[in-house]
Every structure is written in structure tokens, then in C-alpha cells.
Amino acid sequence: MAVIRDANSEARHRLCQKLESQGNDSRVVEAFWKVARHHFIEPALAFRAYEDVTLPIGYQQTLSRPSVVAHQLTQLLKDRDRLRFVLEIGTGSGYQTALLTHLCTRVYSVERIEGLYKIASHRLAGMGQRNFRLRLGDGFEGWSGVGRYDGIVAAASPGHIPEAWLEQLSPQGVLVMPLDLGNSQRMIRVDNHADGAKTTDLATANFVPCLSGVQP
Ligand code: SAH
């Protein structure tokens, strides 16, 4: 790993070691090393940026724990050399979008809360990466017109698998999402195959709900 010298690099290094020891994909751990999480939260909370904790990002939304994000991204990359187009549902702070820019050719990310969309747009524009597009919209509809996605990752939990996500997934694509079962959530992976989709139950989950419509 290249050495990045800033006030947080030691804490970031410890977090990456933890993610590595949890068995996450080395490409994912490398992305966590490259992206400064403290740039995606309120300055007052920056001292907690590299702890394995959920942090508030305003508008009653949260930035997921690093270990949960790393697990989702590891599942997305599982058995795959390279992901081309990836759709992210729930841009939020833009942190996971930034991680994804290092893991695929192009990221398309949809956020329904205008305030978060604007903050994330501003932050991500200040990064070196250019291979992403953001949209203010209802993620239940996915993002059509791009082509089919190799990967779809949701940071908000719907009560069913939205039809549009399956329609927009490529024939070998993979969808990783927290599914809301009413009184609990499960992280699931849906692998598309020529003979139909196969769903794998991965872990318990605890995400914000996936809500319809845009919030100005
Ligand atoms: N990946 C984000 C996590 C944000 S929390 C990050 O790294 O910060 C989940 C986000 O999903 C919230 O910002 C919430 O507003 C958004 N969301 C919920 N339902 C949505 C929908 N239908 N379409 C788009 N975004 C949605």
C-alpha cells in the first residue's frame, strides 16, 4: 500500500488492516486506503471517521459502518475480475460512490434527497476521479438508458426487489442489497444467470429504508 501522509493516515491504516483481517477483497481494502472517509462527514465528527461505526450525515440518514460497506463491495466483486458499469442506490455522503470509482469503470449513483445530492456532488467534484455520474431521483426506478449494469448496490432497504433493478442488471450481473422483511433485514446477493436469478442470503442488515419519490 502506498503511504498517504495526513493526520488520519494511521487510523485509516488500522481500519484497512481490520477490513483485511475480516477477509474482504484486497481491491476493496485498497479503495478504503485511497478514499479519505473524513472528507465525507461533518468536520466535527472527523475524529471518528476511521472507527468502524455508523455516522450521521444529516437529513436523518447515516453513513454505514466501514465493515458493512466493505462486505457489500466484496460481495459485489466476488469471482469477478473487473466490474464495468455499477449502479448505486442511495448516494448519501458520496463515500461509497468514491470507493466504487476505484473498483469499476463507471459508477451511476441515485439519491432521493436533494440536499444530500448537492453536498455529494460538490464533494465528489473535488476528488481526482471523474468516472461517476450522480442523479437526483427515485432509486426504485434505477437509472435506465445507460445499458445493463454489471453490479447494483443498494445502501437503503426496500421491502421487495424492485423490478427495475432486475431489468437493468446485465445477464451475468450481481445485485447486493439489504432486503427489509418487516421486523428484520437481510443482506442478500442476487446473481443473474442465463437460466434465471439465484438469491443468496448473506447476513443480517440494518439500513435506512428505501423510500419512494424525491425529497426537495
Ligand atoms: N452509500 C451512502 C449511504 C447513505 S444512507 C454513503 O456512503 O454515505 C442511504 C441513502 O439512501 C440515504 O441518503 C437515502 O436518502 C437514500 N435513499 C433512500 N431511498 C432512496 C431511493 N428510493 N432512491 C435513492 N436514494 C434513496
Side-chain angles (χ1 to χ4, degrees):
M1 270 182 212
V3 176
I4 299 171
R5 295 200 185 283
D6 63 44
N8 294 287
S9 65
E10 213 171 288
R12 199 187 317 179
H13 188 67
R14 274 199 303 275
L15 175 65
C16 288
Q17 281 179 322
K18 177 175 180 175
L19 299 178
E20 201 160 30
S21 72
Q22 289 171 339
N24 288 297
D25 190 299
S26 59
R27 294 166 291 178
V28 173
V29 177
E30 187 75 21
F32 272 84
W33 179 246
K34 287 177 181 157
V35 180
R37 194 169 184 253
H38 63 276
H39 289 163
F40 291 86
I41 51 179
E42 289 295 316
L45 288 170
F47 73 101
R48 303 202 65 189
Y50 299 97
E51 293 175 28
D52 194 17
V53 291
T54 301
L55 293 171
I57 56 172
Y59 301 86
Q60 295 172 329
Q61 305 302 316
T62 53
L63 179 47
S64 305
R65 288 173 60 182
S67 56
V68 170
V69 177
H71 179 237
Q72 266 192 297
L73 295 177
T74 292
Q75 289 296 327
L76 201 67
L77 286 170
K78 195 169 151 56
D79 304 328
R80 282 166 174 83
D81 286 343
R82 176 92 192 143
L83 289 172
R84 275 160 41 81
F85 296 164
V86 170
L87 172 65
E88 179 190 35
I89 308 296
T91 315
S93 68
Y95 177 63
Q96 184 173 260
T97 317
L99 294 171
L100 282 166
T101 65
H102 293 283
L103 298 169
C104 65
T105 306
R106 193 176 286 276
V107 190
Y108 295 83
S109 183
V110 186
E111 172 56 53
R112 66 176 289 278
I113 299 179
E114 189 173 12
L116 289 174
Y117 160 77
K118 285 186 172 162
I119 296 169
S121 302
H122 180 72
R123 276 191 192 129
L124 289 164
M127 280 191 348
Q129 302 293 100
R130 291 286 172 266
N131 56 334
F132 65 89
R133 296 284 177 276
L134 305 186
R135 169 182 280 184
L136 176 63
D138 184 348
F140 272 108
E141 293 163 19
W143 184 327
S144 61
V146 168
R148 304 268 210 111
Y149 299 98
D150 294 330
I152 300 180
V153 59
S157 182
H160 63 280
I161 305 176
E163 201 58 40
W165 301 1
L166 293 175
E167 281 167 14
Q168 292 169 24
L169 199 58
S170 81
Q172 285 80 37
V174 56
L175 160 65
V176 181
M177 61 174 280
L179 181 65
D180 193 341
L181 302 176
N183 45 17
S184 66
Q185 284 178 21
R186 300 297 304 174
M187 185 64 73
I188 61 166
R189 195 181 72 231
V190 181
D191 289 279
N192 235 355
H193 293 294
D195 51 355
K198 177 176 162 258
T199 301
T200 311
D201 180 87
L202 300 172
T204 182
N206 185 22
F207 282 67
V208 295
C210 193
L211 302 174
S212 300
V214 168
Q215 180 182 314

